[in-house]
Every structure is written in structure tokens, then in C-alpha cells.
């Protein structure tokens, strides 16, 4: 993680709140009057305790469903799912044209990150500009994050060559487990039972999407792969690395700024992916027909969608959390189906809608109670929110 010492001009709200805007809704929204009334009622009679708890839960749910922030965050998450779906579709179109250079595709996006956010970070004043960070210990930590992010993208895309699309869809949710564990260890996030229930329900929704693929036969073209075991291992490894990258991103964007994370990621990920392209994919790139619009247009679209996704994800993680973001992205398979109906002539089934609804319900249940975490104040001391 980054150093614990925060800059003097860090936003006070960032220092004092260990929970996100999105996750501050739920039971914590009860007014002081409601809390005092409930406490008085519990003191008067023990038999009213179940009724009081039910009333408190109902009020919390009612206020959660009325809050603009809840629907705004839900919209954020589904927007990320659509962007993730777009990258998958355009990557699939490139594979149809015989392009199998995942690192080279990501390299274009990292270059855009570097051009936009690294340039912005270079002109930033203060002790956390580009040059100060490169010369500090935090620079080495960002370098490690850059390597992790590049290899996470590479491993998951590489897995498609060895295992089935269905396996990738299922095993990719290991990133959620990684985020939960790492957030608990490094961000000191405390979860309730409802948070785990929400995650489980969302994953079940993903299972419904995969099962709908099997029922409709949309996976008929999904071969068994040349080495399923190796492919599954690559997916799990990539998903775990995604989790590490997302938790690190949550710490940085909530402690410092989005531009710092994206700018430093642009520097190191561009360097790492560029070297990897030269040594691993130069031969594959020599066979690509860059003069064909069927290659150029999907490639440009892939870079644009992935860039916008990275930029938006940092904002969504800042407003919510890495866990909520990863849960929300589970619904991207539903949007892939919608596009697949028109592009790849997939068959529709009502189970897709049911599974999509289950994922959304899981996100809502996870958000019902706020999470709390330990942050670091300006003096370097721990502050529990």
C-alpha cells in the first residue's frame, strides 16, 4: 500500500470517513429521534425488541430505496458493466480477425492513460506530483501495481486460449473474494453478515447467467480448450491480481486522488506492457493486417472503451468501494448477451432477466448496511469510522 502520511491539503471528509458515500446508506440513516425512540422502547419492554428491529430494518430499507446516492451508485456500477461488456465484444471481434495480442491491445489504453493523467500529474504542484513520486518509495509501490495490473489483464485474456468461456466467467469472480480478504486485512474494512449474503446472491446471479448460456446453446461454439486446467489456473491468478489492483486503487483514490493513481499507473503499465509486447507478441503482431478496417476499428473501440472504463472505475471506487464495483461488474455478461443477440446471433432466454435481477438484488443487499473501516488521519494516527 502507499505511505500512511497524508498531505496537509487532503480533504477533511476523506480523512474522517472510512466508508463510502454509497455505503453510508442503510441502517445508519436512522434519525437520532428514531434511534432514541427505539432505545426507549427496548428499555421499557423486552418483548418489543423483535418488533423494534423489524421497524428499524424497514425504515433503513425505505430510506435506502429513496436515496439518490443509491440509484446513482447503481447507475455507476451498471455503466462499468456496459463498458466492460464493450471491451469483451470488441476483443471478440479482433479474435475473429485472428488477432491474439492481448497485451498489445492493453498497451494502447495505457498509452492514453499516460498521455492524459500522467501529463496532468506532471504539472501538479506540491509534494505528490509526478517527479516527487518517482523519486520516492511510493514510486516503487506504484511500479508493482503497474506490473500487477498488466499481468492481470494478460492472464485472464490468455486463459481463453486454453479453457472455456464459461469457466472464465465463473472463475473470474475470484476477484471478489480477493477484494473482500485484502480490504479486511489492509483497509481494515469490517463486514456484516448481510454483506456476505449480498455477495453470495450476486454470484448466484452470475451462475444463472452462465446456466442460461448452457440452456440456450450460446456456448456451443465454446470448445473445451487445449488445456482446461492451465486455463482455469490462469483465470484464478488473473482474478486475484485484479483484486490486489482494485484494493490498492481504493486506498489511493480515497487517500490522495484519482489522477495520481491513473497517472502513475499510466507510466509504469505503459513501460511494462511495451516491454512485454516486444518479447512475447512481436511475432503475432507481424501477422496482423493493420490495413483492414475490420481490425483497426475494433482495436480503436477496444482502447476507447477500456480507457473510459479505467477512468470511470476510479471514480466509482472512490464513491463506493472496490467490493461494490466488482459485484456490479458481474452483470456485464447480461449486456454481452444483448449485444451478442445482434452481433453473434445469440438466443435469448427469460432466465437472463431473472439472473440479472438477482445480481442487482445482491448489490442492494450488500448496500443495506454500511461498512466501516480504519483510515489514517493527517497526523498518521488510525481513525475508525
Amino acid at each position: 500500500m502507499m505511505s500512511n502520511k497524508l498531505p496537509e491539503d487532503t480533504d477533511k471528509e476523506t480523512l474522517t470517513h472510512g466508508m463510502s458515500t454509497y455505503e453510508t446508506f442503510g441502517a445508519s440513516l436512522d434519525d437520532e429521534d428514531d434511534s432514541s425512540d427505539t432505545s426507549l422502547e427496548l428499555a421499557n419492554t423486552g418483548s418489543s425488541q423483535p418488533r423494534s428491529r423489524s421497524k428499524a430494518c424497514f425504515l433503513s430499507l425505505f430510506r435506502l430505496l429513496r436515496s439518490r446516492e443509491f440509484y446513482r451508485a447503481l447507475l455507476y456500477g451498471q455503466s462499468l458493466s456496459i463498458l466492460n461488456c464493450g471491451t469483451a465484444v470488441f476483443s471478440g471481434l479482433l479474435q475473429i480477425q485472428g488477432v491474439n495480442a492481448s497485451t498489445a491491445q492493453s498497451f494502447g489504453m495505457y498509452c492514453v492513460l499516460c498521455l492524459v493523467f500522467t501529463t496532468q500529474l506532471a504539472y501538479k504542484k506540491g509534494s505528490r506530483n509526478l517527479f516527487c513520486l518517482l523519486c520516492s518509495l511510493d514510486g516503487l509501490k506504484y511500479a508493482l501495481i503497474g506490473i500487477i495490473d498488466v499481468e492481470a489483464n494478460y492472464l485472464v485474456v490468455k486463459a481463453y486460449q486454453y479453457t472455456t468461456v464459461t469457466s472464465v466467467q465463473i472463475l473470474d469472480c475470484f476477484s471478489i473474494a480477493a477484494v473482500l480478504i485484502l480490504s479486511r486485512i489492509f483497509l481494515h474494512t469490517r463486514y456484516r453478515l448481510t454483506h456476505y449474503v449480498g455477495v453470495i446472491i450476486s454470484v448466484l446471479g452470475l451462475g444463472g447467467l452462465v446456466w442460461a448460456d448452457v440452456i440456450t446453446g450460446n456456448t456451443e461454439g465454446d470448445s473445451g480448450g487445449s488445456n482446461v486446467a492451465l486455463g482455469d489456473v490462469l483465470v484464478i491468478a488473473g482474478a486475484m491480481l485484479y483484486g490486489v489492483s482494485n484494493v490498492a486503487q481504493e486506498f489511493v483514490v480515497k487517500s490522495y486522488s484519482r489522477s495520481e493513481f491513473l497517472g502513475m499507473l499510466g507510466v509504469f503499465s505503459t513501460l511494462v506492457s511495451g516491454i512485454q509486447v516486444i518479447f512475447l507478441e512481436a511475432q503475432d503482431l507481424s501477422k496482423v493486417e493493420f490495413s483492414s478496417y475490420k481490425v483497426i476499428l475494433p482495436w480503436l473501440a477496444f482502447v476507447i472503451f477500456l480507457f473510459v472504463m479505467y477512468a470511470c472505475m476510479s471514480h466509482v471506487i472512490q464513491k463506493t468501494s472496490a467490493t461494490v464495483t466488482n459485484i456490479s461488474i458481474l452483470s456485464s455478461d447480461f449486456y454481452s448477451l444483448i449485444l451478442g443477440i445482434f452481433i453473434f446471433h445469440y438466443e435469448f432466454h427469460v432466465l437472463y432477466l431473472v439472473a440479472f435481477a438477482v445480481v442487482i438484488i445482491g448489490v442492494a443487499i450488500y448496500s443495506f448496511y454500511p461498512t466501516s473501516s480504519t483510515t489514517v488521519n493527517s497526523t498518521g494516527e488510525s481513525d475508525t469510522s
Side-chain angles (χ1 to χ4, degrees):
M1 310 307 294
M2 302 299 106
S3 62
N4 291 333
K5 183 66 175 178
L6 298 183
E8 295 180 358
D9 58 348
T10 303
D11 186 15
K12 183 178 180 181
E13 182 178 356
T14 303
L15 295 173
T16 57
H17 288 273
M19 64 187 75
S20 63
T21 303
Y22 178 35
E23 293 181 311
T24 56
F25 290 89
S28 61
L29 283 175
D30 291 347
D31 294 333
E32 293 181 1
D33 294 338
D34 293 336
S35 298
S36 61
D37 292 342
T38 302
S39 299
L40 181 60
E41 184 179 354
L42 290 175
N44 291 334
T45 173
S47 60
S48 63
Q49 184 174 0
R51 181 179 300 177
S52 300
R53 288 181 176 178
S54 300
K55 180 181 178 181
C57 290
F58 176 78
L59 290 175
S60 299
L61 178 60
F62 179 70
R63 292 177 181 180
L64 175 68
L65 296 177
R66 286 184 58 191
S67 64
R68 291 183 178 180
E69 285 77 7
F70 171 73
Y71 293 104
R72 185 182 296 120
L74 194 62
L75 179 62
Y76 287 157
Q78 296 313 299
S79 298
L80 284 181
S81 288
I82 294 174
L83 291 171
N84 188 46
C85 159
T87 61
V89 169
F90 290 119
S91 180
L93 292 175
L94 287 174
Q95 289 183 1
I96 292 176
Q97 299 301 318
V99 178
N100 294 305
S102 59
T103 306
Q105 295 171 212
S106 300
F107 173 75
M109 184 276 300
Y110 290 129
C111 287
V112 179
L113 278 182
C114 191
L115 180 64
V116 176
F117 292 101
T118 306
T119 302
Q120 178 182 347
L121 191 61
Y123 283 96
K124 181 180 179 180
K125 297 180 180 180
S127 60
R128 298 199 69 83
N129 63 13
L130 175 63
F131 305 103
C132 293
L133 288 171
L134 289 175
C135 297
S136 67
L137 180 61
D138 283 351
L140 296 177
K141 297 176 182 179
Y142 277 119
L144 179 60
I145 294 174
I147 295 174
I148 290 174
D149 196 80
V150 170
E151 299 311 319
N153 286 321
Y154 174 76
L155 289 175
V156 172
V157 176
K158 190 71 174 178
Y160 283 99
Q161 300 180 18
Y162 299 101
T163 189
T164 64
V165 174
T166 303
S167 295
V168 174
Q169 289 176 322
I170 296 175
L171 296 176
D172 195 39
C173 67
F174 267 86
S175 61
I176 299 177
V179 169
L180 286 171
I181 295 173
L182 295 175
S183 296
R184 183 69 185 91
I185 295 175
F186 295 103
L187 303 182
H188 306 288
T189 303
R190 291 190 291 274
Y191 299 102
R192 293 179 178 228
L193 178 61
T194 52
H195 296 129
Y196 297 111
V197 171
V199 171
I200 293 173
I201 290 177
S202 295
V203 173
L204 289 176
L206 172 64
L209 291 171
V210 174
W211 181 245
D213 282 338
V214 176
I215 294 176
T216 57
N218 290 334
T219 58
E220 287 181 356
D222 186 11
S223 62
S226 59
N227 192 335
V228 175
L230 175 61
D232 291 347
V233 171
L234 291 178
V235 176
I236 294 174
M240 300 297 283
L241 291 180
Y242 273 134
V244 175
S245 177
N246 288 340
V247 171
Q249 182 173 182
E250 180 177 352
F251 178 85
V252 175
V253 299
K254 290 184 177 180
S255 301
Y256 303 108
S257 67
R258 296 171 51 239
S259 60
E260 176 175 320
F261 179 84
L262 294 174
M264 297 302 291
L265 183 68
V267 171
F268 293 108
S269 294
T270 300
L271 179 62
V272 172
S273 60
I275 295 174
Q276 189 161 308
V277 167
I278 294 174
F279 285 97
L280 298 181
E281 298 180 351
Q283 185 176 0
D284 293 329
L285 287 176
S286 64
K287 301 177 183 178
V288 177
E289 297 182 5
F290 287 102
S291 59
S292 173
Y293 74 92
K294 293 183 179 181
V295 172
I296 294 298
L297 293 182
W299 197 307
L300 290 176
F302 175 86
V303 171
I304 293 172
F305 268 70
L306 192 59
F307 168 76
V308 176
M309 180 179 174
Y310 266 66
C312 292
M313 180 176 287
S314 64
H315 178 74
V316 175
I317 289 180
Q318 186 180 54
K319 295 299 182 182
T320 62
S321 68
T323 308
V324 171
T325 303
N326 277 267
I327 296 174
S328 300
I329 291 179
L330 290 178
S331 60
S332 61
D333 290 331
F334 173 79
Y335 300 110
S336 297
L337 162 78
I338 300 300
L339 290 179
I341 291 175
F342 299 98
I343 299 176
F344 304 112
H345 306 291
Y346 286 165
E347 181 182 346
F348 181 79
H349 194 281
V350 68
L351 183 57
Y352 285 112
L353 290 176
V354 176
F356 175 76
V358 170
V359 172
I360 300 302
I361 291 173
V363 175
I365 291 177
Y366 180 91
S367 310
F368 185 70
Y369 284 108
T371 58
S372 59
S373 59
T374 302
T375 56
V376 180
N377 57 31
S378 58
T379 63
E381 298 177 349
S382 297
D383 180 29
T384 303
S385 302

